[in-house]
Amino acid sequence: MSEKETQKNQPSDPATKLDEELRNPPKPQTGTRVDQDKLRSEANQRAKKRPLMTKIIEKFKGEKKPYRELIINSEPLEIRVGSLVDGILDKFDIERRHSAQRIVGGIFKGRIKNLDPGLKAAFVDIGMPKNAFLHYWDIQPQEADSSIEVVRVNSSSKKKKQAKVPLKDIPKHYPIGTEIVIQITKGPIGTKGPRSTTNLSIPGRFIVLVPNSDQCGISRKIEDNKERARLKKIIRDLTIPEGMGIIVRTAGEGKKARYFVRDLHILLQTWEKIQTKMDSARAPACLYKEPDLAERTVRDFLTEDIDRVLIDNAEDHERISETVAQISKRSTSKIQLYQDSIPIFERYNIEKQIEQTFQRQVPLPSGGAIVIEETEALIAIDVNTGSHKNKGNENDTIFQVNCEAAEEVARQIRLRNIGGLIIIDFIDMKQRRHRNAILSRMRDAMAPDKAKTHILPISPLGIMQMTRQRMQESVSSGLYTDCPYCRGKGIVKSGTTVSVELQRKLSGIIRRARNRTPDLEKPIKLRILVNPSIIDRLREEDADLLISLEKDYNAQLTFRADPNFHVENYRVIDVETGAAYG
């Protein structure tokens, strides 16, 4: 064996190898699907530890409900919440402790800084880096919401109903410098500031308090007529301060009247605190801020359907337990402190499931895959059969892949918190009943989503269009930033392209220089600074072309590699004058 081959087979220096690995980008992760049967099996084992009474009620009703858990990972810089349904991650939220998104739902006393008649909007200084966007329509008293059935008008004899101001007169009634109380409805996205409204609402567990509206109603999502009649009676019997309104949330379905009384009492206490700050604070000031992700999630999800809430931080566990005790003392038994040495998200296989949340390709159970591309204008999702295990009838195979894809697409949309226009390219199905079945399955899969969605039937091209309410940035946009090297393009020019551009540039510079210096005996001296990857190509594959250029114009080209140069950048310097080109 030769000496060179011996050196080649010897292991390289570990330190050198480590340096090389750190210099290169991380290797792309492959989408390995987590065994969902194993996750369900583990969840079933945990479900056996539920209270005996819960098991008896379930058996008496004759229906087996899925085992639902909230797993909360509370760290100094961020909070992560995973919602598990039979051990499978169904929803994932993440919030940085000092994130700008925390202002959503917050109530601020601000000052109008600018009015834009073209946009019909005011920009309100609320003490944040970006002014809040307030449309003229959102300054007006809110019209009756079509999604709410009004049951009772709780008008006040003392309080005069706010009259509507024509949009054209808004600037007169709210000139620059006016102090105004607003609530943030949508967080800042990209370069846009937060969106706001003057129609305030404070959400509770079962009801929403609307302090500036006298309308009391029920969400139309509660469809059972008997239940609606029962809730209407509860609303009429509630003692609500004059001039205020409430809305019964879907979580209130089937709940006893005392729950609504307790919820209303807590919300009125919150409103009193807000009013006290409103009178004393100087604009800009924060009057009310929504609870952090952990407390907010427990408030929204802690219904009878949640079997357990597990949190790994003792302080947050105590704080959340106290909050839940105000709402329902019986529910405090569901709040448990996780104390094992294994990180909580690893213990319940959430980390592995989250990995797929940021991958472009997500595998399906039987071998197919969906590919998700997030663009500025829309989200494109493509469905591929891949190495599908079912080798039977082609139409049945395609239908099965599309069924799996519909379920997984709905899950990924929730996990990634994708909003806006979404285009799903299902595999073409010849039979109309298959297309209708996929539409029905997709709508059922998206039904539990709290964000408003609108799904259209599959088009003749096999494309389904849908929209999902965008309340805040997607999970990936909050965790990732544009690549500083490619500026978010995702691509850079190839070595060949840069070499061609550089040679074209050199040819133009040399020709113009020769026109200024007719003396052919005097050489044109140029120094070229390029990225090392480009100089390798110039010295090897394109060397003959550069030598020919030097001979034709009596030029002397000197190349120097600079690793600090971007692969697309180069600099041509005239040695005599010091002039730089490029």
Side-chain angles (χ1 to χ4, degrees):
M1 188 181 288
S2 67
E3 186 180 344
K4 285 185 178 179
E5 288 176 328
T6 305
Q7 291 176 351
K8 187 177 180 181
N9 291 333
Q10 287 177 348
S12 59
D13 179 28
T16 306
K17 187 178 180 182
L18 180 61
D19 288 343
E20 288 178 3
E21 288 179 356
L22 292 173
R23 273 195 292 267
N24 294 323
K27 293 180 180 178
Q29 295 176 334
T30 55
T32 306
R33 187 172 183 84
V34 181
D35 186 353
Q36 294 192 349
D37 290 335
K38 184 181 177 183
L39 295 177
R40 290 190 186 96
S41 175
E42 292 174 352
N44 286 334
Q45 292 299 317
R46 297 196 294 274
K48 291 177 181 178
K49 298 178 182 178
R50 287 182 299 174
L52 180 62
M53 186 57 67
T54 304
K55 296 177 186 177
I56 292 171
I57 292 171
E58 184 180 280
K59 196 162 186 178
F60 181 75
K61 289 184 176 179
E63 56 180 23
K64 182 172 173 55
K65 291 185 177 180
Y67 186 62
R68 296 178 180 273
E69 300 167 284
L70 282 179
I71 310 298
I72 303 175
N73 173 219
S74 180
E75 297 174 340
L77 292 179
E78 68 182 17
I79 301 173
R80 298 187 298 170
V81 177
S83 173
L84 300 183
V85 179
D86 282 336
I88 298 169
L89 187 65
D90 184 65
K91 196 172 189 308
F92 173 65
D93 279 311
I94 185 169
E95 182 178 84
R96 300 278 157 80
R97 294 283 186 181
H98 304 290
S99 168
Q101 293 294 345
R102 278 290 311 278
I103 69 172
V104 175
I107 298 175
F108 291 81
K109 186 176 185 180
R111 184 176 284 107
I112 295 176
K113 296 292 285 185
N114 188 27
L115 294 166
D116 191 323
L119 292 173
K120 289 187 171 57
F123 292 89
V124 185
D125 177 16
I126 57 173
M128 304 292 289
K130 294 176 183 175
N131 291 334
F133 178 89
L134 178 63
H135 200 282
Y136 288 173
W137 292 332
D138 293 318
I139 296 177
Q140 303 277 29
Q142 192 173 17
E143 296 282 353
D145 191 342
S146 59
S147 64
I148 305 297
E149 181 189 356
V150 178
V151 176
R152 162 186 171 189
V153 177
N154 189 37
S155 57
S156 171
S157 55
K158 297 177 183 177
K159 187 178 176 182
K160 290 184 179 179
K161 193 169 183 179
Q162 188 180 348
K164 271 203 166 187
V165 180
L167 291 185
K168 62 178 182 179
D169 295 335
I170 291 283
K172 296 178 184 176
H173 286 77
Y174 297 92
I176 292 173
T178 303
E179 290 190 352
I180 190 169
V181 176
I182 59 173
Q183 184 170 31
I184 305 303
T185 56
K186 188 184 291 186
I189 298 175
T191 58
K192 297 178 182 177
R195 182 153 185 172
S196 62
T197 179
T198 59
N199 297 292
L200 311 181
S201 62
I202 308 169
R205 187 185 179 196
F206 302 120
I207 62 175
V208 177
L209 178 68
V210 192
N212 294 337
S213 172
D214 56 11
Q215 295 182 344
C216 304
I218 302 172
S219 169
R220 292 190 187 275
K221 287 185 179 180
I222 300 174
E223 297 176 351
D224 186 82
N225 290 329
K226 287 184 178 178
E227 177 60 18
R228 294 185 70 82
R230 187 185 73 88
L231 291 173
K232 286 177 183 178
K233 184 178 184 308
I234 290 173
I235 289 176
R236 294 188 186 103
D237 293 342
L238 279 175
T239 304
I240 307 169
E242 289 185 350
M244 290 190 186
I246 63 162
I247 299 167
V248 175
R249 303 176 69 177
T250 51
E253 188 172 3
K255 300 301 178 292
K256 296 177 181 177
R258 67 172 183 269
Y259 291 169
F260 296 96
V261 173
R262 189 185 301 148
D263 217 14
L264 178 61
H265 177 67
I266 293 170
L267 291 174
L268 289 174
Q269 283 183 331
T270 304
W271 176 240
E272 283 179 16
K273 292 176 184 176
I274 292 171
Q275 283 186 307
T276 303
K277 286 186 180 179
M278 197 185 297
D279 296 334
S280 60
R282 294 180 60 187
C286 178
L287 307 178
Y288 166 78
K289 187 178 283 188
E290 277 273 87
D292 65 19
L293 178 62
E295 195 172 334
R296 196 167 65 245
T297 304
V298 171
R299 180 197 68 193
D300 292 343
F301 284 95
L302 190 57
T303 63
E304 301 302 323
D305 295 332
I306 292 293
D307 294 288
R308 183 170 72 146
V309 177
L310 202 57
I311 184 166
D312 62 356
N313 182 285
E315 290 182 10
D316 286 343
H317 171 262
E318 186 178 351
R319 176 170 56 86
I320 290 171
S321 296
E322 289 175 358
T323 304
V324 170
Q326 291 180 333
I327 302 169
S328 170
K329 288 185 178 180
R330 191 179 66 177
S331 296
T332 53
S333 60
K334 295 181 180 181
I335 315 296
Q336 299 173 15
L337 178 64
Y338 178 82
Q339 295 177 301
D340 287 3
S341 57
I342 302 171
I344 191 169
F345 268 36
E346 285 184 25
R347 171 67 179 78
Y348 295 98
N349 292 306
I350 299 176
E351 292 288 8
K352 291 180 181 178
Q353 297 184 68
I354 290 173
E355 282 178 10
Q356 291 182 351
T357 304
F358 308 113
Q359 290 175 8
R360 180 173 172 268
Q361 182 169 308
V362 179
L364 298 173
S366 55
I370 59 172
V371 180
I372 303 174
E373 293 283 0
E374 195 170 339
T375 72
E376 192 168 334
L378 54 81
I379 310 297
I381 302 176
D382 185 34
V383 182
N384 296 323
T385 52
S387 55
H388 200 274
K389 295 172 185 175
N390 185 4
K391 304 298 181 185
N393 183 281
E394 184 183 355
N395 289 335
D396 292 340
T397 298
I398 289 172
F399 178 64
Q400 184 180 342
V401 174
N402 282 338
C403 286
E404 292 176 356
E407 297 283 348
E408 189 61 35
V409 164
R411 177 171 170 265
Q412 290 294 327
I413 286 172
R414 288 194 299 273
L415 288 176
R416 299 172 189 236
N417 195 22
I418 292 171
L421 179 61
I422 303 168
I423 305 295
I424 309 165
D425 183 12
F426 285 103
I427 304 166
D428 289 342
M429 293 170 287
K430 295 179 181 178
Q431 298 182 36
R432 179 179 291 178
R433 64 185 179 89
H434 282 170
R435 293 197 294 271
N436 292 338
I438 294 299
L439 173 64
S440 177
R441 186 172 288 236
M442 191 70 195
R443 284 176 172 166
D444 289 344
M446 292 300 298
D449 197 343
K450 291 184 180 296
K452 293 179 183 177
T453 58
H454 181 58
I455 304 172
L456 298 180
I458 297 174
S459 73
L461 297 176
I463 291 173
M464 177 183 285
Q465 301 173 67
M466 66 173 287
T467 58
R468 182 175 184 267
Q469 184 183 17
R470 190 198 294 271
M471 297 299 294
Q472 58 189 33
E473 291 183 325
S474 65
V475 173
S476 60
S477 62
L479 296 178
Y480 292 85
T481 185
D482 283 345
C483 170
Y485 203 82
C486 70
R487 298 280 180 92
K489 291 187 298 181
I491 52 175
V492 292
K493 292 178 181 177
S494 66
T496 305
T497 302
V498 177
S499 178
V500 169
E501 287 183 1
L502 176 57
Q503 291 179 60
R504 192 178 293 131
K505 185 87 172 178
L506 285 172
S507 177
I509 292 170
I510 291 171
R511 287 178 183 180
R512 284 192 292 271
R514 182 52 66 198
N515 287 336
R516 293 194 300 270
T517 313
D519 184 4
L520 296 176
E521 298 297 324
K522 186 178 180 181
I524 298 168
K525 298 179 181 180
L526 298 175
R527 184 184 300 117
I528 301 99
L529 305 178
V530 292
N531 183 278
S533 62
I534 305 301
I535 205 169
D536 290 341
R537 178 180 176 86
L538 294 171
R539 283 175 175 168
E540 295 171 10
E541 299 177 47
D542 298 338
D544 293 341
L545 297 171
L546 294 170
I547 290 170
S548 175
L549 187 64
E550 287 180 318
K551 286 180 179 178
D552 291 345
Y553 295 98
N554 188 19
Q556 293 179 5
L557 305 178
T558 308
F559 292 87
R560 182 181 297 171
D562 190 335
N564 294 320
F565 270 47
H566 189 282
V567 70
E568 295 182 1
N569 289 342
Y570 52 81
R571 183 69 45 86
V572 181
I573 299 173
D574 190 314
V575 174
E576 292 187 356
T577 64
Y581 309 92

